[in-house]
Amino acid sequence: MTLRQAITNAAAELAANPHLSEHAHRDAELLLLHTLQIPRVTLIAYPDRDLSADQQALYQIAISRRLQLEPIQYITGEQEFYGLRLHVSPAVLIPRPETEHLVEAVLALLPANQPLKLADIGTGSGAIAIALAVHLPLAQITALDLSTEALAVATSNAREHNVANRIDFFESDLLAVVDNQTETFDALVSNPPYIPESDRATLHPQVREHEPATALFAGETGLDIYRRLVPQALSALKPNGLLALEIGHGQREHLTQLLAGWNDVSFVNDLQQIPRVVLARKPN
């Protein structure tokens, strides 16, 4: 079987599943490149190269996993975020392009040439903390997560990008391990769970059935984490410190109410013009 034939056959298998049909050819190609560990240029140049029996078997395993709606990123073990290639596993939420708006907004407001103390709450794969560490070379970052498995993934990613010496990882429920009597941080950043439980059935099954529920859902309204985190942030931030949160669809009004009394509350839209990030400053 040639590379071209393998992709054609696999794409047909994937296309037969209504949840996978839209990106069937793309997925088939990505999984072949991953299986063979070759660049796309090789596929373009040598589409009639033969696969060995072992390669065919490995490829079929990958396709079978995809047919079970396992996300591509968990099969390949990686995802790109803010120009960084990150390891991911089923222990962590797959970093989304929408979260890049959060990183971008924070970088626009923080000076790159000053020492800063930041915290990333619910770090998951470490995507936000690592992106900030790469672009803020004088920053020291505390990265917090409830999951020891997620922290292991994040620690590995930090080492991979040579910022592990500036990120301290702790197992913590939000800011529980931080002394909240001390105004410690210049900025707190988080992409917390914010999907309402009532929306569970509407999610694509590859998200609902494979990504960690604790990183997705936050009570009946999706606001449970914000209600706990905002008061904690008020204690942990320095005066005029920055709070930056990713938010879900339709949550702008609720966050405006939760941040009543904070300064400079503003929202950043994503590419679909949906409010995706809320920014606020702690009052002096």
Side-chain angles (χ1 to χ4, degrees), residues 139-239:
Q140 191 69 33
I141 299 173
T142 299
L144 308 164
D145 204 286
L146 261 179
S147 165
T148 53
E149 293 88 353
L151 289 169
V153 174
T155 302
S156 170
N157 281 323
R159 290 188 185 123
E160 184 89 12
H161 292 285
N162 301 310
V163 292
N165 62 321
R166 291 191 291 111
I167 304 178
D168 298 311
F169 293 97
F170 295 102
E171 185 179 344
S172 179
D173 179 11
L174 302 184
L175 287 160
V177 300
V178 175
D179 179 1
N180 63 9
Q181 302 305 309
T182 307
E183 296 173 332
T184 304
F185 295 104
D186 297 288
L188 296 175
V189 184
S190 183
N191 174 23
Y194 55 70
I195 299 173
E197 279 288 350
S198 55
D199 287 356
R200 186 185 286 261
T202 68
L203 292 183
H204 193 289
Q206 78 170 20
V207 176
R208 185 177 63 241
E209 295 168 15
H210 291 278
E211 296 195 64
T214 53
L216 294 168
F217 301 104
E220 283 306 308
T221 63
L223 300 170
D224 284 8
I225 300 298
Y226 299 121
R227 290 183 177 130
R228 295 173 54 215
L229 179 55
V230 169
Q232 290 184 28
L234 199 58
S235 299
L237 281 168
K238 296 175 183 177

Side-chain angles (χ1 to χ4, degrees), residues 37-162:
Q37 291 295 293
I38 59 172
R40 191 166 186 271
V41 65
T42 301
L43 175 61
I44 294 168
Y46 305 104
D48 295 318
R49 176 185 289 180
D50 286 328
L51 279 78
S52 69
D54 285 348
Q55 288 172 333
Q56 287 184 50
L58 286 173
Y59 185 45
Q60 192 54 53
I61 289 170
I63 294 299
S64 297
R65 290 174 67 181
R66 188 65 182 130
L67 286 167
Q68 296 299 312
L69 304 185
E70 185 174 351
I72 285 276
Q73 294 91 337
Y74 291 159
I75 301 171
T76 64
E78 61 183 30
Q79 168 71 351
E80 187 173 306
F81 178 81
Y82 215 76
L84 306 169
R85 193 160 294 281
L86 300 173
H87 302 297
V88 294
S89 80
V92 301
L93 193 73
I94 297 165
R96 306 306 206 257
E98 291 85 358
T99 306
E100 295 183 351
H101 294 292
L102 177 62
V103 172
E104 207 165 60
V106 171
L107 291 176
L109 292 173
L110 296 181
N113 59 351
Q114 293 179 22
L116 299 166
K117 289 189 72 177
L118 315 179
D120 173 25
I121 303 152
T123 195
S125 65
I128 294 170
I130 293 164
L132 292 175
V134 167
H135 291 275
L136 297 171
L138 301 182
Q140 191 69 33
I141 299 173
T142 299
L144 308 164
D145 204 286
L146 261 179
S147 165
T148 53
E149 293 88 353
L151 289 169
V153 174
T155 302
S156 170
N157 281 323
R159 290 188 185 123
E160 184 89 12
H161 292 285
N162 301 310

